[in-house]
Amino acid sequence: MATTRHWADFQYEIYLNGMTGAVPRLPTDLTRLEELAEHRLGPGPFGYVAGSAGNGSTARANRAALDRWRIVPRMLRDVHERDLSVEVLGRPLPAPLALAPIGVLSIMHPDAECAAARAAAAQGVPYILSSASSTPMEQVAETMGDGERWFQLYWAKDREVTASFLARAKASGYTALIVTLDTPLLAWRPRDLDQAYLPFLHGVGTANYFSDPAFRAGLAKPVEADPNAAVMHFVGMFADPAKTWPDLTFLREHWDGPIVLKGILHPDDARRAANAGMDGVIVSNHGGRQVAGSVAAADALPRVVEAAGDRLTVLFDSGVRSGDDIFKALALGARAVLLGRPYAYGLGLDGQAGVDHVIRCLLAELDLTMALSGHAGPGSLTADDLVKESSA
């Protein structure tokens, strides 16, 4: 197992720094980061991260679903020594947290994915690199050293490019493959449409493609000689709405590590993933960015966990903003959670230090929430530690 970290000690570090008059550069209530980011970042970049599909109903549902679950603290349990470490996909982690794949991070901060990856590595949590990153996967891997890293695949139409991505990721030390299934098409996102803002058309978020030999082999001219043609080639292959379950065999043939399917919300899809030989699923609706009116991720989680049984590792994302959100997801059966927007806001506001702050705040709050609710580690959490409020 990973070395035990005393995450809650972060609060005392903050208080001790206060003896010299120093206060945190960013709020410790991570829900405040969005408003700060909106004031400091341009409307295009901020809207791209904050925006959702349609009128935002799914993003709101994600939060409402988590809020409906309430923690039932238990007393007089020995929580003096706590250990948040878990094993996920055969990898020992110091806490049940990973940074979710978010593309085009250079729109938030010039240090982009490398800053977020370094912060993750410093805290020992996995960094999941998006296919649509602003930085080539090899460069991100190098900046992380031996930090735990997983690769997220947007499954391109071009099989040669997909195979090349997987080979590059394996060679760069990415240990798990996260396959996003919920984005065969880009959703109707009014916040981006109203700004006519799509970073990819400006060659942002295309670094893995433009640096890929298989991608470059499909161009009439080098990327540098005709960048617009390269962008159009990218747009034409980025996603493939024709893919179906049998196509997963191609990925298994080209990846010998764990494969996790992201975007699973129905128990039958979890069963199909297990039958296809996948290793895990991520219960996620893409943070509300793909289907307006979708089921909330936290409402889908218990049924997927039940369907998965012991055949799949179940992870969770969409709507996580606090330590108590993580507690609830773990109690509902998730093995770990992925954090998205809050770390992107931390990056936009304060670079690597901002991401580091977000990770440490979140895990300190989780540590304290667990202790004050009578739990010394994630393994003791069950649905019996929650009650569900009835909907209004």
Side-chain angles (χ1 to χ4, degrees):
M1 274 292 162
T3 303
T4 301
R5 296 281 296 267
H6 298 99
W7 298 102
D9 290 350
F10 185 40
Q11 69 167 333
Y12 298 112
E13 181 181 320
I14 293 173
Y15 288 134
L16 287 171
N17 288 338
M19 299 291 287
T20 66
V23 299
R25 288 165 56 88
L26 295 179
T28 54
D29 172 1
L30 301 182
T31 64
R32 294 178 55 206
L33 295 177
E34 182 169 333
E35 184 179 1
L36 278 178
E38 184 169 17
H39 284 110
R40 293 194 199 173
L41 303 174
F46 172 76
Y48 186 81
V49 173
S52 301
N55 68 359
S57 63
T58 302
R60 292 191 297 274
N62 284 336
R63 286 302 318 152
L66 284 165
D67 286 342
R68 277 195 298 273
W69 288 106
R70 310 305 297 175
I71 296 167
V72 184
R74 302 296 302 275
M75 299 298 116
L76 291 175
R77 292 179 169 184
D78 184 357
V79 293
H80 174 65
E81 289 294 335
R82 299 182 305 282
D83 183 359
L84 267 58
S85 66
V86 292
E87 186 174 294
V88 177
L89 303 171
R91 313 294 292 185
L93 306 181
L97 177 72
L99 295 193
I102 299 179
V104 301
L105 282 178
S106 62
I107 68 174
M108 300 300 282
H109 191 278
D111 289 343
E113 292 81 12
C114 287
R118 284 194 300 268
Q123 299 303 327
V125 303
Y127 179 70
I128 308 176
L129 181 73
S130 171
S131 286
S133 62
S134 310
T135 315
M137 64 182 86
E138 294 84 359
Q139 186 178 337
V140 176
E142 184 177 357
T143 199
M144 289 190 75
D146 60 359
E148 184 71 23
R149 48 189 175 270
W150 304 344
F151 182 70
Q152 177 268 343
L153 178 70
Y154 280 121
W155 201 348
K157 285 181 184 175
D158 190 316
R159 292 164 71 92
E160 296 303 315
V161 170
T162 298
S164 180
F165 270 30
L166 298 186
R168 291 170 61 195
K170 179 61 71 174
S172 299
Y174 295 85
T175 59
L177 179 64
I178 311 298
V179 187
T180 296
L181 300 183
D182 58 18
T183 315
L185 299 165
L186 198 63
W188 187 255
R189 299 178 183 171
R191 199 154 190 171
D192 297 336
L193 290 163
D194 290 351
Q195 297 287 332
Y197 184 82
L198 188 62
F200 303 109
L201 298 184
H202 301 279
V204 178
T206 57
N208 285 317
Y209 299 85
F210 287 6
S211 61
D212 191 81
F215 179 91
R216 295 174 72 96
L219 299 173
K221 297 179 181 178
V223 173
E224 300 74 17
D226 194 347
N228 288 336
V231 166
M232 289 301 103
H233 188 53
F234 160 80
V235 170
M237 74 160 59
F238 177 69
D240 184 2
K243 287 202 166 59
T244 58
W245 290 94
D247 291 309
L248 289 170
T249 56
F250 177 83
L251 299 182
R252 182 49 82 195
E253 289 166 0
H254 289 83
W255 185 266
D256 60 6
I259 302 179
V260 181
L261 304 184
K262 183 173 185 285
I264 300 299
L265 295 166
H266 195 289
D268 287 349
D269 285 347
R271 295 184 188 100
R272 297 195 74 162
N275 293 339
M278 301 294 101
D279 300 278
V281 294
I282 301 173
V283 176
S284 167
N285 55 32
H286 216 103
R289 293 170 63 76
Q290 279 300 99
V291 178
S294 167
V295 61
D299 285 340
L301 178 58
R303 294 176 68 209
V304 171
V305 167
E306 183 181 9
D310 59 3
R311 296 203 292 165
L312 295 167
T313 296
V314 179
L315 308 178
F316 174 82
D317 81 14
S318 298
V320 174
R321 298 292 181 270
S322 64
D324 60 284
D325 291 338
I326 300 178
F327 180 109
K328 294 171 185 178
L330 299 176
L332 292 173
R335 187 70 176 160
V337 304
L338 278 56
L339 181 73
R341 289 183 178 96
Y343 92 77
Y345 298 141
L347 175 68
L349 292 165
D350 202 18
Q352 179 180 338
V355 181
D356 189 82
H357 173 84
V358 167
I359 296 170
R360 296 186 73 191
C361 285
L362 196 71
L363 292 179
E365 187 177 20
L366 172 63
D367 190 0
L368 291 164
T369 301
M370 289 183 54
L372 293 168
S373 301
H375 298 275
S380 67
L381 296 176
T382 72
D384 289 339
D385 297 303
L386 305 174
V387 295
K388 193 173 189 179
E389 294 181 338
S390 57
S391 300

